[in-house]
């Protein structure tokens, strides 16, 4: 009885130590992310940082005194203080989350205002250009009409002159004909006269003919003068029309250059305004990042101090914690990644590239917790079988380093923590989470009754897909089930490769798997399933309207599938395990395609 009490105390200490290490891992990752961004903006907030530093020094001094007081008191007091510290960390995380959301909302509103302003200015410039084009068209149409009117008047004048010339010529011809008739009559009447009278008559006729010729010459000169005058008038009108057209063109050019310069000036002002806004947003973001980094560093120092205190007072905790990490497979995160990628696919597609931050946090944390819980349940179910397989005989429960009761408590804590996270989501997601827990519990026992345990693993891993759609959209569209189908097939592929590593040991121990079921046709069947996975992902892309980035990712994923086939061609266990690990890149490439599509569109 005394030994069990000691084990329980060590288990509680190890859980506390594990929580602190988990927080330390989170802060280290945050420091690496924000470290390179915030180093250049410290000069923007010196007064604020100084004030915050003074407040934090008071807080650190208070924490040091509390830590010293903890060393002198019992474990119960440290548990109370640890709970208070957890609540304080949660409060800080909530405040930071709210601040980030306010910053994101402010940035969206500010950016929309800039876009609307730019659209209004561009529309104004387009309207001015359209007005100028209308004015130019009006000038040009007026000029063309004026030129057509002048041409009509010139045509009418020419036709009038030709008609006048014809009338004058006909009159002259008639006059000549009349004169000849009169001369003929006069000649016939005067045949009886003498030669002297004939000479007079001839002279008279010659004089009349000369007068007629002079009259004709005068008429021709008048016609030539009229024609020359008409030509000069036409030339003058043509010169005036040409000058008017050149003036209109010069005015249009000046007006167009003015519009172009105005648009360039407006564009420069908009660019400057947007640049100023971006500089301001960057300054605010850098200052906030610097503040977060400083807070994370201080919390890290505090956690490290607490860890140092725990290490100095409880040396056995380190070894116990290592056994718990092995039990939950936190030292082998490949399973977390294989569960995480389909979840991220579903979140991004359901939210059209902008998932809710709270939902994203819940699902990432749930992936880590439920995968760890699944590993614990799997080791509990296989504790009598793992000892017969070379690769699993050193697992904590199989080797006796962790008691089954401890494993049950750890699994219950992990599942309960996941349930607490799901309470933040809608009722549909909460109902689906119950099915997820059932799948996680029954999967480890399927290898005793069926040769398709990989199918149940796919359901357990892929059930996060409909949960993600339910959390983001409140419904379960057809595309959610299509993506679940692709995820289940993908899990069958990589877990069959994983089962090919232990196929001989599994046959001896009586464990069933698809690797044993497929026998020598395993490579061909895996290839067919890989092809079905790619086709299902292509259908998902078509129904979701995903573009070239996504399908480029699918093409790269197809190349990775071919490479995995190459690795397992000789069924060497090490190569099969390498193909299993390579599946992580398959999921990452598909998610990268989804992310780039929504980021650039």
């Amino acid at each position: 009885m005394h030994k069990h009490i000691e084990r329980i105390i060590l288990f509680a200490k190890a859980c506390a130590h594990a929580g602190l290490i988990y927080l330390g891992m989170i802060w280290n990752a945050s420091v690496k992310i924000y470290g390179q961004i915030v180093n250049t903006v410290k000069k923007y907030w010196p007064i604020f940082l100084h004030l915050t530093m003074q407040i934090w020094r008071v807080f650190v001094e208070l924490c040091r005194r509390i830590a010293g007081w903890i060393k002198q008191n019992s474990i119960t007091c440290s548990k109370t203080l640890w709970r208070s510290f957890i609540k304080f960390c949660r409060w800080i995380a909530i405040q930071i989350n709210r601040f980030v959301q306010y910053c994101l909302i402010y940035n969206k509103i500010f950016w929309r205002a800039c876009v609307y302003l730019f659209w209004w200015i561009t529309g104004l410039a387009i309207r001015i250009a359209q007005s100028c084009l209308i004015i130019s068209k009006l000038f040009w149409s007026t000029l063309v009409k004026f030129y057509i009117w002048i041409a009509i008047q010139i045509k009418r004048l020419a036709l009038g002159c030709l008609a006048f010339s014809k009338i004058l010529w006909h009159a002259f011809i008639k006059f000549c004909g009349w004169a000849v008739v009169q001369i003929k009559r006069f000649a016939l009447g005067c045949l009886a006269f003498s030669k002297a009278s004939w000479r007079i008559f001839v002279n008279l006729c010659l004089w009349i003919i000369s007068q007629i010729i002079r009259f004709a010459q005068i008429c021709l000169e008048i016609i030539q003068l009229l024609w020359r005058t008409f030509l000069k008038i036409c030339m003058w009108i043509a010169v005036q029309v040409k000058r008017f057209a050149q003036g209109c063109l010069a005015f249009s050019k000046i007006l167009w250059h003015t519009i172009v310069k105005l648009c360039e000036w407006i564009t420069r002002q908009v660019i400057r305004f947007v640049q100023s806004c971006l500089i301001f947003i960057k300054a605010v973001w850098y200052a906030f990042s610097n503040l977060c980094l400083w807070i994370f560093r201080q919390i890290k120092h505090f956690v490290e101090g607490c860890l140092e205190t725990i290490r100095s007072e409880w040396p056995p905790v380190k070894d116990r914690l290592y056994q718990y990490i092995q039990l939950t497979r936190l030292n082998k995160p490949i399973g977390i990644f294989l569960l995480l990628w389909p979840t991220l696919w579903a979140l991004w597609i359901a939210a059209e590239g902008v998932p809710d931050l709270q939902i994203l946090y819940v699902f990432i944390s749930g992936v880590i917790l439920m995968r760890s819980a699944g590993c614990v349940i799997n080791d509990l179910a296989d504790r009598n079988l793992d000892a017969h397989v070379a690769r699993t005989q050193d697992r904590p429960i199989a080797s006796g380093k962790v008691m089954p009761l401890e494993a049950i408590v750890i699994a219950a804590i992990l599942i309960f923590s996941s349930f607490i996270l799901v309470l933040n989501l809608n009722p549909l997601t909460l109902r689906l989470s119950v099915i997820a827990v059932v799948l996680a519990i029954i999967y480890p026992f399927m290898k005793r009754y069926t040769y398709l345990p990989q199918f149940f693993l796919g359901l357990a891993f892929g059930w996060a897909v409909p949960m993600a759609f339910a959390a983001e959209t409140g419904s379960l569209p057809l595309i959610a089930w299509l993506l679940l189908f692709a995820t289940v097939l993908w899990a069958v592929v990589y877990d069959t490769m994983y089962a090919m590593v232990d196929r001989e040991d599994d046959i001896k121990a009586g464990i069933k798997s698809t690797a044993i079921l497929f026998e020598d046709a395993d490579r061909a069947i895996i290839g067919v399933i890989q092809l079905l996975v790619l086709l299902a992902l292509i259908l998902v892309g078509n129904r979701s309207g995903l573009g070239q980035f996504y399908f480029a990712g699918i093409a790269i994923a197809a190349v990775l599938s071919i490479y995995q086939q190459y690795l397992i061609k000789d069924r060497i266990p090490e190569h099969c395990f390498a193909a299993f690990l390579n599946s992580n890149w398959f999921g990452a490439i598909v998610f990268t395609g989804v992310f780039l599509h929504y980021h650039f569109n």
Side-chain angles (χ1 to χ4, degrees), residues 31-293:
V31 168
K32 289 179 181 178
I33 293 172
Y34 290 103
Q36 298 178 351
I37 300 176
V38 300
N39 288 330
T40 58
V41 295
K42 293 182 180 179
K43 59 182 180 180
Y44 292 101
W45 297 85
I47 299 175
F48 177 75
L49 290 179
H50 179 72
L51 180 61
T52 310
M53 185 68 74
Q54 296 298 327
I55 296 172
W56 183 253
R57 285 175 181 171
V58 173
F59 175 73
V60 170
E61 183 64 27
L62 180 62
C63 291
R64 287 178 180 173
R65 292 183 180 181
I66 292 173
W69 183 74
I70 289 171
K71 291 181 180 180
Q72 298 175 1
N73 290 276
S74 62
I75 299 175
T76 304
C77 182
S78 64
K79 288 182 180 178
T80 304
L81 187 61
W82 175 250
R83 291 171 184 169
S84 302
F85 174 71
I86 292 297
K87 291 181 180 179
F88 176 71
C89 291
R90 287 178 180 172
W91 180 82
I92 289 177
I94 292 170
Q95 299 304 319
I96 291 174
N97 186 21
R98 290 177 180 173
F99 183 76
V100 171
Q101 289 178 349
Y102 292 152
C103 290
L104 290 174
I105 293 171
Y106 173 75
N107 290 340
K108 289 181 180 177
I109 295 173
F110 200 65
W111 179 249
R112 287 175 182 172
C114 294
V115 171
Y116 290 152
L117 178 63
F118 182 74
W119 282 352
W120 179 81
I121 293 172
T122 306
L124 181 62
I126 291 172
R127 290 175 184 173
I128 294 173
Q130 290 175 347
S131 301
C132 293
L133 289 175
I134 292 171
I135 292 171
S136 300
K137 288 181 180 179
L138 182 62
F139 271 114
W140 181 251
S141 61
T142 305
L143 176 64
V144 170
K145 290 179 181 178
F146 178 70
Y147 182 75
I148 291 171
W149 178 82
I150 290 172
I152 292 170
Q153 299 303 320
I154 291 171
K155 182 180 178 182
R156 290 177 180 174
L157 181 62
L159 293 174
C161 292
L162 289 174
F164 176 74
S165 300
K166 288 180 180 180
I167 292 168
L168 193 64
W169 179 254
H170 286 304
F172 174 70
I173 293 297
K174 288 180 180 180
F175 177 75
C176 291
W178 176 81
V180 170
V181 170
Q182 296 302 321
I183 290 169
K184 182 178 179 183
R185 288 178 181 177
F186 182 77
L188 291 173
C190 296
L191 287 175
F193 289 128
S194 61
K195 292 180 180 179
S197 298
W198 177 250
R199 288 175 183 172
I200 293 170
F201 172 73
V202 170
N203 290 331
L204 180 62
C205 289
L206 291 173
W207 178 82
I208 292 172
I209 291 170
S210 64
Q211 294 302 316
I212 291 171
I213 291 170
R214 286 179 183 176
F215 180 75
Q217 289 176 349
I218 290 171
C219 290
L220 289 174
E221 287 177 357
I222 291 172
I223 291 170
Q224 288 178 356
L225 181 62
L226 288 174
W227 180 251
R228 289 172 184 171
T229 304
F230 172 71
L231 290 178
K232 289 182 180 179
I233 291 173
C234 291
M235 290 296 294
W236 179 82
I237 291 173
V239 171
Q240 298 303 318
V241 170
K242 182 180 178 181
R243 289 178 180 175
F244 181 75
Q246 290 176 347
C248 291
L249 290 175
F251 175 74
S252 299
K253 288 181 180 179
I254 293 171
L255 190 63
W256 178 251
H257 287 304
T258 304
I259 292 171
V260 170
K261 290 181 180 179
L262 178 63
C263 292
E264 290 178 352
W265 180 82
I266 291 173
T267 304
R268 285 196 298 269
Q269 297 303 319
V270 171
I271 291 173
R272 289 177 183 174
F273 178 73
V274 173
Q275 288 176 345
S276 302
C277 294
L278 290 175
I279 291 172
F280 175 74
I281 292 171
K282 286 182 179 179
V284 173
W285 175 252
Y286 288 156
F288 171 71
S289 302
N290 193 17
L291 175 63
C292 292
L293 177 61

